[in-house]
Amino acid sequence: MRFRHRRDGPKAEMDMTPMIDMAFQLIAFFMFAISFSQNEQDERVMLPDSVLAKPANQPLKHPVTLHLTRTGNVIYGGQELPALERLRPYLVNERMVLQGRNRTMEDATVVIRADRLARAGVVQKLIQMCQEEKFEKFALRAQEDIGP
Amino acid sequence: MKLRRIGKGSESKIELQMTPMIDVVFQLLVFFLFTFRIATQEGDFNIKMPLTTYSSSQTVAAESPVVMMHVRLRADGSGRLRQSGGIVVNGDRVLDSFEQLHNYVIGVIGGHEPSAKADAEVELDCDYNLHYEHLIDAITAVSGYVDKSTGQVNRLIDKISFTPPQAAPGS
């Protein structure tokens, strides 16, 4: 069977303009919607809800973020520590960093992101340990309750 | 001045190569799609609690706030707030829900001067096993409320502290 070759026929061209328009629209949307502050969030921790949990107007000066899982393990810098006491050297280190920058302990805020099912006693022990390392400002983090 | 027309007669079109651009655009799209996470907004409850005032009732007494409330939160075996009598205020007032606690705080604070409101303090005393979400519920109940008509947050008590942690059960 022989096929005829169309050499002089019109070329079929796809109009790419709408697709590129859409692609750029999507990129622009994602670029504006992405938040790099999510770096301090952790999927292993599910925060409790509160209607009063509103984002702060200005960022904290020197935040020290500690995550507490429901099993009572602390996550610091992405690393899950098997015991609460293992956190102490890191807190000492944070204090040294502050002192190295000529800042007082009042400038630092310990942000506690505890799981909603974590035990209150463990949270209090965590706060107590931070206090023993001279931290005095704490921020108990909750997620905004947007209702049903 | 006369300009020469290039390609006169040959009619050759300059075609822009779109393929690399589309490749990069799709790469970017895929990157953003995979890194994008829908997250609810978060907020903090600020607590200033140096070690000196943590466990020392004498220090608290020395400052003597006009309104001082001791709120005891009691947990059942599974860590939830007890269905009945889960909240005890100042050792004698037994409440069953955080709504009752909230109304109680409004009742106590409402009869005082604004300066006294600013000076009011709540000390939370929780069972070791109590779920943290109930602690946050208690802090929410005493800290303020959202005015439904305006959406504004009305503050009640800002000064919140904790009693020393209770011993873990079985320790």
Side-chain angles (χ1 to χ4, degrees):
Chain A
M1 191 175 161
R2 283 185 79 183
F3 290 100
R4 270 197 304 166
H5 288 280
R6 282 191 187 176
R7 283 183 186 170
D8 304 325
K11 251 187 177 177
E13 279 188 11
M14 202 170 83
D15 190 6
M16 304 288 272
T17 319
M19 191 190 75
I20 294 165
D21 280 355
M22 272 312 295
F24 274 109
Q25 292 269 3
L26 284 169
I27 285 179
F29 167 74
F30 283 121
M31 276 179 75
F32 283 104
I34 199 163
S35 168
F36 291 104
S37 66
Q38 287 174 1
N39 291 342
E40 66 174 25
Q41 296 186 357
D42 197 289
E43 289 166 355
R44 288 168 280 187
V45 171
M46 201 173 173
L47 292 182
D49 299 325
S50 172
V51 288
L52 300 182
K54 307 282 182 198
N57 295 327
Q58 51 189 8
L60 297 167
K61 270 186 189 171
H62 187 94
V64 179
T65 307
L66 305 175
H67 307 265
L68 186 71
T69 64
R70 63 181 61 184
T71 53
N73 293 342
V74 178
I75 300 167
Y76 175 81
Q79 186 188 354
E80 191 165 342
L81 308 172
L84 210 60
E85 201 55 39
R86 293 275 186 93
L87 178 69
R88 200 179 287 276
Y90 295 106
L91 291 176
V92 173
N93 192 39
E94 287 282 353
R95 199 179 66 210
M96 305 282 270
V97 168
L98 269 171
Q99 287 168 349
R101 291 179 183 172
N102 289 326
R103 291 195 177 169
T104 62
M105 295 308 281
E106 277 206 6
D107 292 330
T109 306
V110 179
V111 179
I112 296 177
R113 297 185 80 258
D115 190 278
R116 58 178 61 188
L117 297 181
R119 289 181 291 181
V122 182
V123 176
Q124 283 184 273
K125 277 190 170 177
L126 182 62
I127 291 174
Q128 194 177 35
M129 184 191 285
C130 295
Q131 287 174 318
E132 285 164 6
E133 297 307 327
K134 309 284 186 280
F135 288 93
E136 54 186 60
K137 282 170 79 181
F138 300 91
L140 302 183
R141 191 154 285 183
Q143 69 180 9
E144 190 177 15
D145 187 0
I146 46 176
Chain B
M1 188 177 155
K2 220 177 169 187
L3 293 176
R4 265 197 309 161
R5 290 182 71 184
I6 299 168
K8 191 183 173 186
S10 63
E11 301 295 330
S12 64
K13 252 187 176 177
I14 298 170
E15 283 192 7
L16 202 71
Q17 266 295 339
M18 301 292 272
T19 321
M21 190 189 75
I22 293 166
D23 281 352
V24 172
V25 163
F26 276 107
Q27 291 273 0
L28 282 169
L29 254 183
V30 169
F31 166 75
F32 282 121
L33 269 169
F34 279 98
T35 53
F36 186 69
R37 254 190 275 168
I38 299 169
T40 50
Q41 290 189 315
E42 295 182 0
D44 295 330
F45 291 101
N46 295 311
I47 292 172
K48 192 173 181 185
M49 207 165 55
L51 188 62
T52 46
T53 59
Y54 189 82
S55 57
S56 162
S57 57
Q58 288 85 358
T59 316
V60 174
E63 288 172 2
S64 63
V66 177
V67 181
M68 175 73 196
M69 271 183 270
H70 178 273
V71 178
R72 172 101 170 84
L73 301 172
R74 298 191 293 186
D76 62 14
S78 62
R80 301 190 65 81
L81 191 78
R82 280 191 202 175
Q83 292 253 319
S84 125
I87 305 164
V88 183
V89 183
N90 293 335
D92 53 1
R93 186 69 184 260
V94 181
L95 307 170
D96 295 331
S97 68
F98 291 110
E99 197 179 347
Q100 287 180 8
L101 175 65
H102 180 67
N103 292 333
Y104 178 82
V105 170
I106 288 176
V108 171
I109 292 290
H112 287 83
E113 296 291 316
S115 59
K117 279 186 192 177
D119 204 28
E121 191 173 325
V122 169
E123 187 183 45
L124 295 170
D125 179 8
C126 314
D127 274 357
Y128 189 90
N129 276 336
L130 185 79
H131 287 163
Y132 176 66
E133 62 181 343
H134 299 303
L135 181 61
I136 290 294
D137 287 339
I139 294 173
T140 304
V142 301
S143 296
Y145 58 94
V146 178
D147 191 329
K148 284 177 183 167
S149 58
T150 60
Q152 293 287 314
V153 174
N154 293 326
R155 309 298 307 180
L156 289 172
I157 297 176
D158 283 330
K159 290 183 183 172
I160 295 165
S161 60
F162 297 110
T163 57
Q166 295 187 6
S171 65

